[in-house]
Amino acid sequence: MQASSLRKYWIPVFNILEKNNIWVTLSHPKYTKPQKGNKTDRKDAKWICDLYMCGMVKPSFIPPADIRELRDLVRYRFKLTCMITGEKNRAHNCLTVSNLKLDDVFSDIFGRSSRSITEQILQHPGETFDVAPFVHGRCKTPIEEIQAAVDGAVSKEQAVKLRQCLNHIDELEMHKSEIEREIFRLSDKYEDILTLIRTVPGFDKNPMTAIQVLSEIGGDMSVFPTAKNLVSWAGCCPHNDQSNHKIKSTRISRAGSYFKPVLVQVANALIKSKKHPEFPTRYRRIKARRGHKKSIIAICRMILTAIWHILTDLKPYTAKGFLEPRPVSKEKVLTASQALNLLKQRGYVIKDEPIFIS
């Protein structure tokens, strides 16, 4: 079966064949393309059959039905989050054009205090009022600055738009909460696997992060022979395109469009961690010669490699493998200044020790 990455027409057929215990090989079109010219559907089908008979069709990873259902809800939650962000940007624009600079005095213009002031403005447009009763006691911004920030007027048209944006945000938040409850219900059966994933640094704060990983790769690592296969499937390894010793491209693929952002977000937090030095050390070493973006993808590869070993061995995370000394294959001779510069590039701070004369 040949599937397109942009269409879902193969899913109904796949579901019927799967229920009848029929083995199905699903392959991406880029791995089964015939030669250009004189192309017909009949010739395409014959070409795919010939490739399959020769064992040259690369099957795509299709998780079990329950994981696919969980993945669908998790991705829909991501879409709802994007929609909420879009509506918040539109509401922010309404406040800005109305000369209401709430973002200058509040870190979150949709928080408790800011939302109370916004509701008061919408209920009484064009009227001045004292903001003190609407500011929460834990707010650290002085009342005078908040009063100056609301020195504006909302037009009738902007008030209608802002009201609809706020109502839509509340409605989307309600839908998101219902989806999250269903996600947690579906993930209860995988609590042991989620507990192992949460032992990886960066996945223990938000319980939804581990569920996002489970929904994308599943809990059975036998479908990925090695950790490198998992990293390649997630699009976190460089592209290999060489000809006559000339490297044409090393860009990462577009795979993992829902999975990769989660890994990048966790990686950006881990490079500042003092509790887990294996991640900042590797980040600084690669950043010195390859830059920030490539070093972040390298940290994502570390995380995926750790997850593969955890789910394969069913053992919690340990940093032992990343912190083991790795001697160089060839003996290198450095001068004292070169050695000091190398240590400084890797983030070490060198201090002079005081000399005591007895």
Side-chain angles (χ1 to χ4, degrees):
M1 182 183 296
Q2 189 177 12
S4 173
S5 58
L6 300 179
R7 299 175 181 176
K8 303 296 183 181
Y9 299 146
W10 60 271
I11 294 181
V13 180
F14 183 87
N15 291 336
I16 295 174
L17 297 176
E18 185 184 37
K19 290 180 181 179
N20 291 275
N21 298 324
I22 298 177
W23 175 260
V24 180
T25 299
L26 185 71
S27 180
H28 197 280
K30 70 179 181 179
Y31 299 119
T32 59
K33 282 186 177 180
Q35 294 181 352
K36 293 184 179 180
N38 197 17
K39 178 183 179 302
T40 62
D41 292 342
R42 185 182 295 273
K43 291 183 178 180
D44 282 350
K46 183 178 181 300
W47 174 257
I48 295 173
C49 291
D50 292 341
L51 291 179
Y52 188 81
M53 290 173 61
C54 297
M56 299 176 63
V57 176
K58 184 178 179 180
S60 300
F61 166 59
I62 306 297
D66 52 349
I67 295 293
R68 295 202 301 269
E69 294 174 358
L70 181 63
R71 174 192 289 183
D72 189 41
L73 290 180
V74 171
R75 291 183 176 183
Y76 180 57
R77 175 186 175 272
F78 173 76
K79 293 293 185 182
L80 288 177
T81 303
C82 294
M83 293 170 65
I84 292 173
T85 303
E87 286 296 332
K88 286 185 176 181
N89 291 336
R90 296 181 188 95
H92 192 183
N93 182 52
C94 292
L95 295 173
T96 301
V97 299
S98 302
N99 200 23
L100 298 172
K101 297 296 184 180
L102 294 180
D103 55 327
D104 292 342
V105 292
F106 294 110
S107 58
D108 182 13
I109 61 174
F110 301 96
R112 183 173 178 180
S113 300
S114 180
R115 187 65 183 269
S116 300
I117 294 174
T118 305
E119 292 291 341
Q120 178 66 17
I121 293 174
L122 291 177
Q123 294 175 6
H124 305 280
E127 299 181 7
T128 58
F129 61 96
D130 185 15
V131 299
F134 304 97
V135 178
H136 192 262
R138 297 178 62 181
C139 182
K140 298 181 181 180
T141 307
I143 300 297
E144 294 78 11
E145 296 183 10
I146 301 177
Q147 189 71 52
V150 298
D151 185 16
V154 180
S155 64
K156 181 179 180 181
E157 294 76 15
Q158 290 295 331
V160 172
K161 179 182 176 182
L162 181 58
R163 169 57 62 191
Q164 295 300 321
C165 288
L166 294 178
N167 291 341
H168 196 195
I169 290 172
D170 295 338
E171 184 179 359
L172 290 174
E173 290 284 0
M174 181 185 65
H175 295 331
K176 183 179 176 182
S177 300
E178 294 178 358
I179 290 295
E180 287 180 351
R181 284 195 295 268
E182 185 65 18
I183 289 173
F184 285 122
R185 186 188 68 82
L186 292 176
S187 61
D188 283 342
K189 63 174 73 174
Y190 297 101
E191 190 60 34
D192 295 338
I193 296 176
L194 292 174
T195 302
L196 288 174
I197 296 176
R198 292 187 181 114
T199 61
V200 181
F203 290 86
D204 55 342
K205 302 297 182 181
N206 187 355
M208 189 61 66
T209 309
I211 298 177
Q212 288 177 290
V213 174
L214 175 67
S215 66
E216 294 294 333
I217 66 176
D220 183 16
M221 290 296 101
S222 62
V223 295
F224 301 106
T226 63
K228 293 182 179 180
N229 293 97
L230 175 60
V231 173
S232 176
W233 177 85
C236 293
C237 64
H239 184 62
N240 186 14
D241 189 0
Q242 299 184 20
S243 179
N244 194 21
H245 304 288
K246 182 179 180 181
I247 301 176
K248 296 184 177 180
S249 175
T250 58
R251 294 178 63 90
I252 60 176
S253 67
R254 297 182 180 180
S257 58
Y258 289 92
F259 188 32
K260 210 180 304 179
V262 180
L263 298 175
V264 172
Q265 184 178 5
V266 174
N268 277 298
L270 288 178
I271 60 176
K272 305 173 185 178
S273 174
K274 297 181 180 179
K275 188 177 179 181
H276 304 282
E278 63 271 18
F279 297 102
T281 302
R282 182 174 177 82
Y283 169 78
R284 289 193 296 266
R285 185 171 71 247
I286 299 178
K287 182 186 177 183
R289 51 190 175 87
R290 301 306 299 271
H292 169 73
K293 292 184 178 181
K294 286 184 171 59
S295 54
I296 283 294
I297 295 299
I299 300 301
C300 294
R301 178 173 181 173
M302 287 180 63
I303 296 172
L304 274 180
T305 303
I307 291 175
W308 185 88
H309 284 284
I310 286 171
L311 298 183
T312 301
D313 303 334
L314 298 180
K315 294 181 181 179
Y317 171 83
T318 175
K320 182 179 179 181
F322 295 123
L323 297 178
E324 289 180 353
R326 299 180 180 180
V328 294
S329 57
K330 296 181 180 180
E331 184 178 351
K332 296 183 179 180
V333 180
L334 299 177
T335 63
S337 59
Q338 290 175 340
L340 292 175
N341 290 332
L342 179 61
L343 291 174
K344 290 179 181 178
Q345 289 177 359
R346 297 189 176 183
Y348 292 95
V349 178
I350 302 173
K351 297 181 179 180
D352 295 332
E353 295 182 356
I355 301 176
F356 300 96
I357 302 176
S358 58

